[in-house]
């Protein structure tokens, strides 16, 4: 039973014209392999800077620590939060903003991944600020997040990252470090905020210790796996990740949250990685030793936090999958090729 030549795609037709049904010649295969490897390393150096050993080195935010003037009287400032739904670091800020009832005080604009991987604001209808879907820039009317950063005095030519807290009146970046933002949201005395304290004084030291372990080995650990540029760097990262997940699984067998029965900022930070684990990190970032589903306590812990009122509304699983698999081209080149040649 022969196949019809009319159904052959153009690339296959060209290949058969050049080489018939035999394999491409060795020199061509070697040249393509070399070109792809060089291009991959070039893109990865821009997307994910690494140290000499090939380990991912996350760039620090340019605007860390919320200035004291905002801590003293936060409700007098016109603050605006910029986020993107796939990003776990931005997701932290949405959860704390929701749990602290800060939606009226801190409006939000939701960016989406552009074709070049940068954050942009889709055009279209104006959306209600309570709708956490990508839409227009509701503070400045800009097309991209880079343009917003560029509005600050003195301009800006660094990485335009989310989350980013913006002072509308001063036209200035307040902070773009996620933990500093959630700590500010939790501790500052906003008018109308809830009485929930996610960092009680008696637990601060314990929270800091959990964050030290979770940030390096889990939050950033999944990226160290996915963005590793050497086998050795990957092996170290994946071992530290799953050793820590095993430890957390054991700890949560006797504790509802990380610090006992009290939900804290450390739980928020862990949750935003876990909710993405099976969707993205297990496959795309090659964190394949186990799925979250295979950790009964961690999985139950994730479900528990998801079911806290207002948390589920901050979780857009479709946007997470779309953002990771469409945007991180060097990790998922097949999807890029399907888009390019479809």
């Amino acid at each position: 039973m022969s196949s019809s030549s009319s159904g052959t795609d153009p690339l296959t037709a060209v290949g058969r014209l050049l080489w018939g049904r035999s394999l491409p010649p060795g020199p061509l295969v070697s040249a393509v392999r070399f070109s792809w490897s060089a291009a991959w390393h070039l893109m990865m150096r821009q997307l994910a800077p690494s140290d000499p050993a090939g380990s991912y080195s996350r760039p620090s935010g340019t605007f860390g620590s919320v200035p004291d003037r905002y801590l003293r009287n936060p409700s007098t400032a016109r603050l605006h939060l910029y986020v993107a739904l796939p990003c776990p670091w931005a997701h932290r800020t949405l959860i704390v903003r929701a749990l602290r009832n800060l939606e009226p005080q801190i409006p939000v604009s939701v960016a989406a991944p552009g074709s070049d991987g940068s954050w942009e604001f889709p055009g279209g209808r104006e959306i209600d600020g309570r709708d956490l879907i990508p839409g227009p820039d509701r503070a400045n009317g800009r097309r991209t997040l880079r343009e917003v950063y560029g509005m600050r005095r003195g301009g800006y030519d660094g990485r335009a990252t989310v989350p980013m807290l913006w002072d509308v009146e001063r036209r200035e970046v307040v902070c773009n470090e996620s933990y500093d933002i959630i700590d500010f949201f939790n501790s500052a005395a906003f008018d109308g905020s809830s009485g929930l304290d996610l960092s009680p004084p008696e637990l601060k030291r314990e929270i800091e210790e959990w964050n030290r372990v979770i940030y390096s080995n889990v939050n950033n650990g999944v990226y160290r796996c996915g963005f590793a540029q050497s086998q050795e760097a990957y092996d170290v990262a994946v071992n530290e990740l799953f050793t820590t997940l095993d430890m957390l699984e054991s700890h949560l067998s006797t504790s509802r949250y990380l610090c006992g029965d009290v939900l804290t900022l450390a739980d928020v930070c862990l949750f935003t990685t876990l909710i993405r684990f099976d969707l993205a990190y297990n496959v795309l970032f090659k964190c394949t030793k186990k799925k979250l589903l295979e950790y009964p306590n961690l999985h139950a812990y994730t479900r528990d936090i998801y079911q806290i009122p207002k948390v589920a509304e901050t979780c857009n699983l479709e946007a997470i999958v779309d953002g990771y698999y469409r945007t991180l081209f060097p990790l998922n080149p097949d999807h890029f090729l399907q888009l390019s040649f479809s």
Side-chain angles (χ1 to χ4, degrees), residues 84-93 178 219 223 272-273 276 281 324:
L85 300 178
C87 175
W89 316 99
H91 193 182
R92 300 173 170 191
T93 66
S178 64
N219 299 147
Y223 286 87
T272 60
T273 296
R276 289 162 172 76
Y281 305 138
Y324 276 96

Side-chain angles (χ1 to χ4, degrees), residues 125-338:
R125 66 182 181 89
E126 178 66 25
I127 61 171
D128 189 305
R130 293 170 296 180
D131 295 330
L132 293 179
I133 59 175
D137 173 7
R138 301 174 63 241
N140 295 294
R142 299 292 172 159
R143 185 178 60 87
T144 68
L145 186 63
R146 176 168 294 281
E147 292 177 9
V148 179
Y149 271 89
M151 291 174 60
R152 64 179 299 272
R153 284 193 300 274
Y156 180 70
D157 61 359
R159 295 163 71 102
T161 60
V162 291
M164 190 265 277
L165 191 62
W166 176 261
D167 187 321
V168 176
E169 293 181 344
R170 291 175 176 265
R171 292 164 66 95
E172 183 59 80
V173 177
V174 176
C175 184
N176 67 352
E177 282 286 359
S178 64
Y179 198 84
D180 290 295
I181 294 174
I182 63 174
D183 190 46
F184 170 60
F185 284 178
N186 179 69
S187 60
F190 285 93
D191 293 341
S193 62
S194 72
L196 178 67
D197 187 356
L198 295 166
S199 185
E202 67 274 13
L203 294 177
K204 278 189 180 294
R205 182 171 296 180
E206 189 174 355
I207 292 169
E208 289 172 359
E209 181 59 25
W210 278 118
N211 284 334
R212 184 188 63 79
V213 174
I214 291 167
Y215 171 79
S216 176
N217 297 345
V218 181
N219 299 147
N220 201 42
V222 293
Y223 286 87
R224 289 169 56 219
C225 293
F227 292 163
Q229 296 185 42
S230 71
Q231 184 65 48
E232 294 76 12
Y234 171 79
D235 290 342
V236 169
V238 80
N239 181 62
E240 291 178 353
L241 168 64
F242 283 96
T243 297
T244 304
L245 291 178
D246 290 342
M247 179 271 290
L248 290 167
E249 173 71 7
S250 176
H251 176 75
L252 292 170
S253 67
T254 58
S255 181
R256 181 180 181 184
Y257 300 122
L258 294 176
C259 299
D261 291 330
V262 179
L263 183 76
T264 68
L265 293 179
D267 296 296
V268 173
C269 293
L270 178 58
F271 171 81
T272 60
T273 296
L274 296 181
I275 196 70
R276 289 162 172 76
F277 197 87
D278 287 0
L279 290 173
Y281 305 138
N282 177 257
V283 177
L284 188 61
F285 283 21
K286 301 178 178 63
C287 304
T288 53
K289 279 191 174 181
K290 279 187 179 181
K291 293 180 179 291
L292 181 67
L293 280 168
E294 298 176 74
Y295 287 103
N297 297 321
L298 274 169
H299 188 249
Y301 165 85
T302 306
R303 287 201 322 268
D304 186 354
I305 296 176
Y306 183 84
Q307 292 167 358
I308 294 173
K310 301 178 78 172
V311 170
E313 287 84 347
T314 70
C315 304
N316 188 321
L317 305 186
E318 182 179 353
I320 291 170
V321 171
D322 186 69
Y324 276 96
Y325 286 89
R326 289 176 64 91
T327 303
L328 294 176
F329 153 58
L331 300 184
N332 189 32
D334 287 346
H335 184 81
F336 174 81
L337 293 173
Q338 290 166 13

